[in-house]
Amino acid sequence: MPHREPVVEDLAVLLLLGGQSRRMGTPKHLLQHPLTQEPLYRYHLSTLLRLSAEGTFPRGVWVSARQDQLDTVDLPEVGCFSLASLPKHPLIIPDIQSVNTVLDDRETHGDIGPAAGILQAAATQPDATWLVLAVDLPFLSGDSISHLLANHAPASPVSLYLHSDDGNPEPLFSVWTPLALDQLRQNCQAGKSGPCRAAKDVWGGKIVEGKGGVKVPTEAWITDADTPEEWAEAQKRLHGIEPAGTTDASTSTATHCTGFAKVAYTATAFHDAVSLVRSLPVKRKRRAPSTTSTGQFGRGRPFDAEGSEPSGAGGYTSQADIHALLPHPLEDNSAMDGYAVAASAIAHASPAAPVLLPVLGRIVAGDAPPVCSDAASTGCWEIMTGAVFPSPGFDSVVKVEDASRTESLDARRRHMIAFSAPIHPGKNRRRRGEQFESGDVLLRVDEEVTPEAVMLLAAGGVQHGLPGREVQAHRSSRRGRVAILATGKEVVSLSDREQSLAPGQVVDCITPFLDTFLRSRDYEPVHLPPCGDSLADLSSALSTALATESFDLILTVAGVSLGSADHTPEALASIGLTQQFHGVAIRPGGPVMLSLHEATGTPVLSLPGNPIASAVCMRAFGEEVLRRLEDDEEDGREPEEWRPLDMKGANEQDGGWSAWLDRQKAGVSTFAAVPVGARGTPVAPNGVLGSTCGGPCALRSLIGAGAWVRADGARDGTPCRAYWRRF
Ligand SMILES: Nc1nc2c(c(=O)[nH]1)N[C@H]1C(S)=C(S)[C@@H](COP(=O)(O)OP(=O)(O)OC[C@H]3O[C@@H](n4cnc5c(N)ncnc54)[C@H](O)[C@@H]3O)O[C@H]1N2
Ligand code: MOO
């Protein structure tokens, strides 16, 4: 395990088992964690010992418990310290490999709540700084701890997470230096035992962000489970699965399995997300009106793929059939963040008898496919969305939220993953060329080169006539400027590409789509230098973009889902943006995220990396943000609205639509790209919508398409309503 310099020097961690668990009715520390079925205190200790092995807690891992609690726990302890037994100047050398205990001895201190445990632990090492944690935080994780430590300023006497609803500090997820502990001790002697009070007193005022307060990126991190109802809710969210029969997608939650994802997200209902956009306090950046309106997007101009028209093809019509030069996908890759397995290895897995497989390694999108000597039946690979499969024998991917990482290690000290259900061979594996093969026709003669067509052509490697980064700088426009930040080390732009792509690389087809789309709306797209997978680079690129204060909107692409390289939510939180939503009940595009930089009123829309998902989210939310920015503009332009789908008028053999609408999930809004028929209305193409490739990443559904349909799956059993609009 890599050993790092500690983020906070002389740090010890204290897990408080304390409390009477009266409202829960059963000891909270013994509740069974749903992911590993261990008691909660052991689950948390595994996390703390893992961090400790990495060097985070040079002063050891400590548990504070009453004697009756100690009798119920099984700790690899070196010594149990009670305050009464401590010499005046104790010289205690904690064991940093195992767990030290300190007796919460209320006889000596009187019943002063958690302050007793904290002060007793502090007395064992008066010069240490203490990370204090309550055991009843079900979402406690390495990430939530690292985030607090990273935001604890060295000069700060105490740091506490702030609740996002009322701004109050959370006393039992906090960092205490000797100075603050002195204050707590003095306060207790004066009869004031509340840790929040001591934190305020040592700061000489309210705890706010920057003055002892640290904004929590995800409220769940500091939500405790105090009652059976709260614990049931936490269990549900930790599983990421609604109990059978009660699925309500508008409140479903994706969570992470230890060490994998960055931030858990909860899906907001589609219409609620749109309402949030419509009330967003955005600030349009004023600038002198430009005389060089782009004017690129007149309909009906001819486009020749062989020509060298560099200034963007959007709005032209094709003069000949245009064929793909590359297949899509370029290689077999993963559709999900999870574990690549041989389906046969977990064929007999069940919740009662899960199959445990060691992690053989990790593959991130952009990595060359690893050469693996282990047999597929003996292990699994951590694999991220878009990453190329290891070979041979690994045929499917179990989503990270459907597996559990245990703290058990195999003989070679590799972590064991528990699989509790079988998987169909081929599940979540995208096959090379399954969307289109090179040579397939992507655009027919006389078809319009819409932004979506530009996405398709770019994915197919058709370079000429597409907007490239090099033609950007000269444009300006009347309506505003929008920054585009593509992320992911696997993504390369067409203009960067020479003849071939390295294994694991993909062509950026989203930036050209966004570019064409924005120019069609008379916005100036500004391509920021693409960012790899590093959190630091991403945070710095975003801070720089915000500091220029010249963008009306910032669009980020990819990195919003559950993979270990998905850093966008964390980067935005780390530079102080306020999250408006992360996760919407839509398909595709579920992981989409919207944030606001309040100081400048700049919205940041984070589009998911799957190309079709990003197109849907730009149409569904990006367009709404632009409209919000234009609220004050009176130019008589009619916004293009979603129109109700008239199924009879739309399609004479209406069977396709009914079958599709019947399949829609309650509470979810589903989008699909469809052709526009001779009557000028959308056609339900059974072949595409019904196929196995009709899912979220069905880039080929853009071939021949000219409109989006949206079906809002109703929740009360009534038929779902459908709407449509042209590209
Ligand atoms: N375990 C889970 N995995 C995934 C889930 C989930 O719920 N659980 N959601 C899936 C969904 S839905 C989507 S959509 C994607 C979104 O992922 P990210 O936004 O984090 O994007 P990446 O993982 O970085 O990339 C996804 C995919 O897109 C390709 N990509 C990225 N940028 C571009 C670009 N500019 N042009 C073309 N293609 C791009 C990338 O190579 C990946 O193949 O997550 C699912 N996973
Ligand atoms: O894979 Mo996602 O949003 O593309 O559903």
Side-chain angles (χ1 to χ4, degrees):
M1 193 156 308
H3 200 84
R4 297 190 295 244
E5 283 299 305
V7 180
V8 176
E9 275 183 23
D10 292 320
L11 185 68
V13 60
L14 177 67
L15 186 67
L16 294 163
L17 303 197
Q20 301 287 346
S21 302
R22 280 197 202 94
R23 298 179 64 204
M24 186 66 78
T26 163
K28 289 197 261 187
H29 68 287
L30 297 180
L31 293 169
Q32 213 174 53
H33 197 288
L35 291 181
T36 58
Q37 267 74 53
E38 299 167 281
L40 206 47
Y41 79 93
R42 277 216 81 105
Y43 182 87
H44 291 337
L45 284 176
S46 301
T47 306
L48 300 180
L49 287 169
R50 177 168 55 82
L51 293 176
S52 181
E54 290 170 5
T56 309
F57 306 119
R59 295 302 195 92
V61 175
W62 295 71
V63 162
S64 152
R66 296 189 315 269
Q67 187 60 56
D68 60 302
Q69 289 171 322
L70 277 181
D71 296 341
T72 63
V73 302
D74 168 24
L75 302 172
E77 66 190 273
V78 283
C80 176
F81 308 104
S82 92
L83 196 66
S85 69
L86 286 177
K88 201 146 194 280
H89 300 289
L91 176 66
I92 290 172
I93 304 171
D95 185 326
I96 63 162
Q97 299 304 323
S98 53
V99 179
N100 307 273
T101 53
V102 60
L103 196 63
D104 183 344
D105 167 12
R106 289 171 192 223
E107 310 264 290
T108 313
H109 260 83
D111 195 356
I112 55 167
I118 301 173
L119 290 176
Q120 284 164 341
T124 64
Q125 304 181 84
D127 59 337
T129 292
W130 289 82
L131 170 66
V132 172
L133 303 168
V135 78
D136 62 356
L137 296 169
F139 292 88
L140 184 70
S141 65
D143 288 335
S144 57
I145 292 172
S146 305
H147 187 81
L148 182 68
L149 298 182
N151 285 282
H152 167 71
S156 170
V158 60
S159 294
L160 307 89
Y161 269 134
L162 299 175
H163 284 280
S164 39
D165 47 357
D166 54 12
N168 284 333
E170 170 50 52
L172 300 186
F173 197 149
S174 50
V175 179
W176 293 76
T177 64
L179 185 70
L181 289 162
D182 259 354
Q183 182 74 52
L184 180 62
R185 198 169 298 113
Q186 284 171 30
N187 280 14
C188 286
Q189 280 159 5
K192 302 177 287 183
S193 60
C196 284
R197 176 65 191 265
K200 270 187 221 161
D201 289 348
V202 74
W203 268 101
K206 197 169 177 227
I207 299 295
V208 291
E209 215 179 324
K211 280 183 78 183
V214 175
K215 199 165 172 174
V216 71
T218 305
E219 181 63 20
W221 285 1
I222 51 171
T223 304
D224 61 359
D226 219 19
T227 61
E229 294 72 36
E230 286 167 4
W231 175 241
E233 179 61 23
Q235 279 179 296
K236 214 159 75 179
R237 294 185 68 180
L238 282 162
H239 270 303
I241 301 167
E242 297 291 320
T246 61
T247 310
D248 175 356
S250 65
T251 55
S252 71
T253 300
T255 75
H256 62 104
C257 189
T258 32
F260 221 99
K262 293 295 142 192
V263 177
Y265 56 84
T266 306
T268 303
F270 171 66
H271 292 282
D272 292 346
V274 170
S275 304
L276 275 166
V277 177
R278 290 187 177 156
S279 58
L280 204 62
V282 293
K283 273 192 215 127
R284 197 148 164 223
K285 315 297 178 299
R286 298 279 162 197
R287 63 183 68 79
S290 160
T291 48
T292 51
S293 175
T294 59
Q296 300 292 335
F297 207 77
R299 288 191 182 239
R301 283 180 285 168
F303 165 64
D304 174 6
E306 295 306 315
S308 55
E309 165 62 67
S311 56
Y316 290 70
T317 50
S318 173
Q319 289 201 302
D321 288 355
I322 303 179
H323 300 261
L325 303 175
L326 299 169
H328 190 86
L330 282 156
E331 287 153 290
D332 282 20
N333 68 30
S334 175
M336 292 288 169
D337 301 312
Y339 299 98
V341 294
S344 57
I346 59 167
H348 303 294
S350 71
V355 171
L356 294 181
L357 295 175
V359 178
L360 306 175
R362 186 162 84 114
I363 322 161
V364 173
D367 287 348
V371 180
C372 173
S373 56
D374 292 83
S377 57
T378 60
C380 61
W381 284 80
E382 265 185 27
I383 192 166
M384 306 308 140
T385 311
V388 179
F389 265 76
S391 57
F394 296 88
D395 53 20
S396 348
V397 171
V398 178
K399 290 198 282 179
V400 59
E401 54 274 44
D402 294 346
S404 316
R405 186 173 134 129
T406 69
E407 291 297 328
S408 325
L409 305 176
D410 74 353
R412 289 162 64 184
R413 302 199 58 74
R414 299 178 299 198
H415 269 288
M416 304 295 281
I417 306 300
F419 299 94
S420 48
I423 190 169
H424 286 296
K427 181 91 180 164
N428 297 326
R429 181 179 180 124
R430 307 192 286 214
R431 300 270 170 194
R432 174 188 157 94
E434 75 177 14
Q435 295 301 316
F436 52 78
E437 290 290 353
S438 78
D440 284 358
V441 174
L442 298 181
L443 200 66
R444 294 260 174 224
V445 62
D446 288 337
E447 269 190 82
E448 190 180 330
V449 190
T450 58
E452 278 77 356
V454 167
M455 169 176 278
L456 187 61
L457 293 174
V462 179
Q463 297 196 43
H464 293 290
L466 295 180
R469 204 174 301 134
E470 75 281 3
V471 298
Q472 288 313 304
H474 317 296
R475 300 224 176 81
S476 63
S477 92
R478 205 165 51 87
R479 284 178 180 267
R481 301 177 83 208
V482 178
I484 305 172
L485 177 58
T487 72
K489 70 172 180 180
E490 77 279 21
V491 176
V492 290
S493 93
L494 274 177
S495 49
D496 291 344
R497 194 170 78 85
E498 296 189 345
Q499 286 311 306
S500 59
L501 292 155
Q505 288 188 325
V506 305
V507 177
D508 182 358
C509 62
I510 300 177
T511 304
F513 159 77
L514 294 172
D515 183 288
T516 314
F517 174 86
L518 288 165
R519 284 186 298 112
S520 77
R521 297 287 314 261
D522 207 10
Y523 279 82
E524 177 190 1
V526 177
H527 300 211
L528 302 180
C531 207
D533 288 324
S534 126
L535 172 61
D537 290 353
L538 183 53
S539 309
S540 138
L542 286 164
S543 313
T544 312
L546 287 163
T548 67
E549 292 191 28
S550 71
F551 298 119
D552 298 286
L553 164 66
I554 297 175
L555 297 170
T556 68
V557 180
V560 284
S561 145
L562 298 178
S564 59
D566 293 341
H567 295 310
T568 309
E570 223 180 338
L572 289 164
S574 75
I575 55 173
L577 275 88
T578 326
Q579 195 181 98
Q580 308 298 307
F581 56 74
H582 182 192
V584 178
I586 57 171
R587 275 203 310 211
V592 64
M593 178 172 165
L594 179 71
S595 321
L596 181 72
H597 186 245
E598 286 174 9
T600 57
T602 312
V604 178
L605 179 63
S606 299
L607 303 166
N610 282 342
I612 281 279
S614 70
V616 161
C617 293
M618 194 59 207
R619 292 286 182 180
F621 304 113
E623 187 120 53
E624 284 293 342
V625 178
L626 297 182
R627 202 172 288 164
R628 175 85 186 120
L629 284 161
E630 291 155 19
D631 265 357
D632 55 347
E633 220 177 69
E634 293 285 336
D635 67 354
R637 208 165 80 135
E638 280 296 312
E640 200 160 356
E641 294 292 0
W642 292 85
R643 285 176 267 177
L645 179 68
D646 168 3
M647 285 201 292
K648 288 212 183 64
N651 186 3
E652 272 145 22
Q653 307 97 37
D654 163 43
W657 281 123
S658 315
W660 186 66
L661 294 172
D662 285 349
R663 281 203 303 272
Q664 297 315 316
K665 207 169 158 187
V668 176
S669 292
T670 302
F671 293 75
V674 294
V676 176
R679 294 158 176 262
T681 49
V683 177
N686 299 331
V688 173
L689 294 180
S691 83
T692 51
C693 297
C697 42
L699 200 55
R700 76 184 174 119
S701 65
L702 291 180
I703 301 174
W708 288 106
V709 287
R710 188 189 86 223
D712 295 339
R715 222 176 279 132
D716 49 9
T718 55
C720 80
R721 292 178 189 283
Y723 302 83
W724 74 285
R725 52 162 306 165
R726 291 181 77 103
F727 284 173

